[in-house]
Amino acid sequence: MTKELYEIGETPPLGVVPKKMHSWLIRPERFGEPMQAFAKEVIDVPEIADDEVLVYVMAAGVNYNNVWAGLGIPVDVIKARQKGGETENFHIGGSDASGIVYRVGKDVTSVKVGDEVVAHCGSWSKNGELVKQGKDPMYDPTFRIWGYETNYGSFAQFTKVQDHQLLPKPRHLSWESAAAYMLVGATSYRMLMAWTPNHVKKDDVVLVWGGAGGIGCMAIQIAAAMGAKPIAVISDESKIDYCMKLGAIGCINRNDFDHWGMMPHWKDADAYGEWLKGARGFGKAIWDILGEKRGVDVVFEHPGESTLPTSIFVCETGGMVTICAGTTGFNATLDLRYHWMRQKRLQGSHFANDEQAKGINDLVIAGKVDPCLSKTFTYDQLPEAHQLMYENKHPSGNMSVLVGAVDEGMGISS
Ligand code: NAP
């Protein structure tokens, strides 16, 4: 007989979906730091539509987006969904998952009950205007990040996804490693591989900001897998070894320089000259690693305001700076004279489509990209994992939380 509720770690028989599930919920009255925002509740397992799949979550990945969801800023994701007509007054986050298919909608043919899968977090309506025209669904107004902009993410025993979000779980990985890489990996893959003709090619020089960070560790490995020459930027010598092991050909410590922030005005000759000295020094550090005077073909950007002027400066003629965030601020400053004369490209990039998610999954399956799982948490420690991230005390690489997977013998690392 089907139980109404299974305990965490007590796996329901394959394909048996109980009425209720354990979940970590964010509610508006709890908005705040992660330790306050998340609370355990038992709620109904969600219904699925004809093109959706219910996945029994084995492990969930930890990403910064659900720190934001818990804070209720810059967007109150619950209110935003209610404006769109949804009624729930709670949010179940989680934009990375590994798990087992437990139920499929009647139109689903790509997966079946029992399949071991990972989920990417790109969701969109099949009826979206641009989707119907065969354009990149990332540009469609119906695009939503699953488990952030949509409800019923992976921080619960069951999660609801669209069929196209699912990819085969790499067989050599534990559940927690499989839950760690997709959001960061697919984002990095699109940044480096989608923007032809500037996609990363053999022998290209690729500068990776935050090389030991979540997306940075993926970028180094993708560039190395393409036969390119990744150079990592770090802020602490202790991260050098980590980046070199991932495939970096050299590292630059950004604390050796102090020209960060918005560029001075071009009419302020003294300040501009000082800035130029710093930027040239940084460029020389790149030449020293390469052993030749050569610019960067692809710059992997995300700090934004404080580093973008340098990124554009060191970019080779005809090269590209690809950017997915503005962690240090949103004012992008650059000297347009060099930008047009040297015909450089500044390319915004956001998550990934199905093809790019498959691109990173194939590299992981082939053993060319490691998920860089640095720490695994138990289900009860989910708020703690997010609190570490909120306080910027999280370790290099990526973190996971066990949901259905048990921790015995699973090699919980710390
Ligand atoms: P993370 O693990 O915290 O890593 C960020 C790295 O940035 C750190 O390791 C740090 O390395 C570096 N950094 C911090 N402050 C810096 C500064 N002032 N100047 C230069 N580098 C600095 O975060 P993540 O997961 O890699 O994510 C990075 C950013 O990308 C976040 O803003 C995230 O929200 C965004 N993101 C966007 C998408 C998208 O689809 N648009 C997807 C994933 C992530 P060092 O201190 O060693 O230099």
Side-chain angles (χ1 to χ4, degrees):
M1 206 183 71
T2 309
K3 288 165 75 169
E4 185 170 88
L5 175 71
Y6 289 81
E7 292 313 310
I8 289 293
E10 180 196 7
T11 311
L14 184 62
V16 170
V17 177
K19 187 169 182 314
K20 303 218 168 263
M21 64 178 184
H22 289 281
S23 26
W24 277 105
L25 261 64
I26 292 169
R27 289 187 183 273
E29 57 272 27
R30 290 196 290 265
F31 277 161
E33 293 187 14
M35 292 305 280
Q36 169 191 319
F38 288 100
K40 281 193 279 188
E41 294 190 34
V42 170
I43 62 159
D44 284 349
V45 174
E47 298 292 325
I48 53 167
D50 293 344
D51 62 349
E52 288 180 333
V53 178
L54 197 64
V55 174
Y56 177 66
V57 179
M58 296 301 276
V62 179
N63 294 291
Y64 211 92
N65 59 359
N66 274 288
V67 173
W68 292 122
L71 290 167
I73 56 164
V75 179
D76 175 339
V77 290
I78 299 167
K79 201 182 266 175
R81 283 201 293 270
Q82 286 172 339
K83 270 193 193 149
E86 293 182 30
T87 52
E88 294 107 349
N89 62 346
F90 60 81
H91 170 70
I92 301 181
S95 301
D96 258 320
S98 61
I100 302 168
V101 172
Y102 260 56
R103 178 176 282 167
V104 297
K106 74 173 175 47
D107 295 343
V108 175
T109 54
S110 53
V111 290
K112 58 182 188 318
V113 170
D115 284 356
E116 297 190 353
V117 291
V118 292
H120 78 65
C121 65
S123 75
W124 48 79
S125 166
K126 282 180 177 149
N127 296 319
E129 270 317 304
L130 300 182
V131 177
K132 279 196 292 190
Q133 289 169 25
K135 301 224 167 100
D136 189 334
M138 287 299 303
Y139 301 151
D140 196 273
T142 64
F143 176 83
R144 301 276 183 281
I145 297 281
W146 158 76
Y148 176 62
E149 293 166 296
T150 75
N151 209 347
Y152 297 108
S154 59
F155 299 158
Q157 286 175 301
F158 289 93
T159 184
K160 183 169 82 155
V161 296
Q162 295 175 338
D163 50 0
H164 67 90
Q165 285 178 251
L166 297 176
L167 290 155
K169 170 188 170 284
R171 296 169 71 134
H172 65 288
L173 295 183
S174 63
W175 290 110
E176 58 267 39
S177 283
Y181 65 87
M182 186 51 82
L183 186 149
V184 283
T187 302
S188 304
Y189 191 91
R190 180 177 176 93
M191 289 173 76
L192 297 176
M193 300 306 296
W195 304 108
T196 51
N198 292 95
H199 60 285
V200 171
K201 296 174 261 316
K202 189 171 176 322
D203 294 330
D204 274 358
V205 179
V206 180
L207 183 74
V208 180
W209 290 98
I215 55 174
C217 65
M218 293 286 129
I220 293 175
Q221 295 184 86
I222 295 167
M226 297 303 143
K229 299 175 175 174
I231 296 175
V233 186
I234 39 88
S235 62
D236 188 324
E237 304 283 315
S238 67
K239 297 179 182 176
I240 292 177
D241 203 32
Y242 185 80
C243 294
M244 299 298 280
K245 280 191 180 136
L246 293 176
I249 62 157
C251 292
I252 301 175
N253 188 336
R254 64 184 168 89
N255 285 333
D256 293 342
F257 303 87
D258 60 4
H259 63 291
W260 308 119
M262 283 165 61
M263 280 182 86
H265 198 277
W266 57 276
K267 286 182 182 165
D268 185 347
D270 289 346
Y272 191 92
E274 233 359 81
W275 176 84
L276 202 55
K277 227 190 274 170
R280 283 196 175 129
F282 189 85
K284 182 172 179 307
I286 294 173
W287 292 347
D288 288 347
I289 290 170
L290 292 171
E292 58 178 321
K293 290 187 178 179
R294 202 182 143 181
V296 177
D297 299 290
V298 180
V299 183
F300 183 88
E301 247 289 349
H302 51 94
E305 185 169 302
S306 89
T307 54
L308 191 93
T310 305
S311 294
I312 300 269
F313 179 83
V314 299
C315 181
E316 183 57 272
T317 300
M320 173 177 74
V321 176
T322 174
I323 184 159
C324 74
T327 315
T328 63
F330 308 122
N331 274 30
T333 48
L334 65 149
D335 190 330
L336 282 174
R337 293 170 294 187
Y338 298 99
H339 199 65
W340 86 67
M341 288 302 288
R342 304 235 166 118
Q343 304 184 75
K344 302 179 183 187
R345 175 175 180 181
L346 174 57
Q347 178 65 55
S349 194
H350 184 49
F351 189 58
N353 58 28
D354 288 342
E355 195 188 327
Q356 293 140 11
K358 180 177 181 316
I360 189 67
N361 211 47
D362 287 349
L363 286 176
V364 176
I365 288 171
K368 292 185 174 164
V369 170
D370 182 86
C372 292
L373 177 70
S374 51
K375 196 167 166 80
T376 305
F377 295 81
T378 62
Y379 183 74
D380 284 347
Q381 292 171 323
L382 185 142
E384 206 179 290
H386 286 84
Q387 188 71 27
L388 273 183
M389 195 164 236
Y390 173 72
E391 293 173 13
N392 203 19
K393 291 182 181 154
H394 54 299
S396 297
N398 297 302
M399 304 186 288
S400 282
V401 174
L402 297 174
V403 183
V406 282
D407 42 3
E408 286 162 59
M410 296 292 288
I412 299 255
S413 49
S414 58

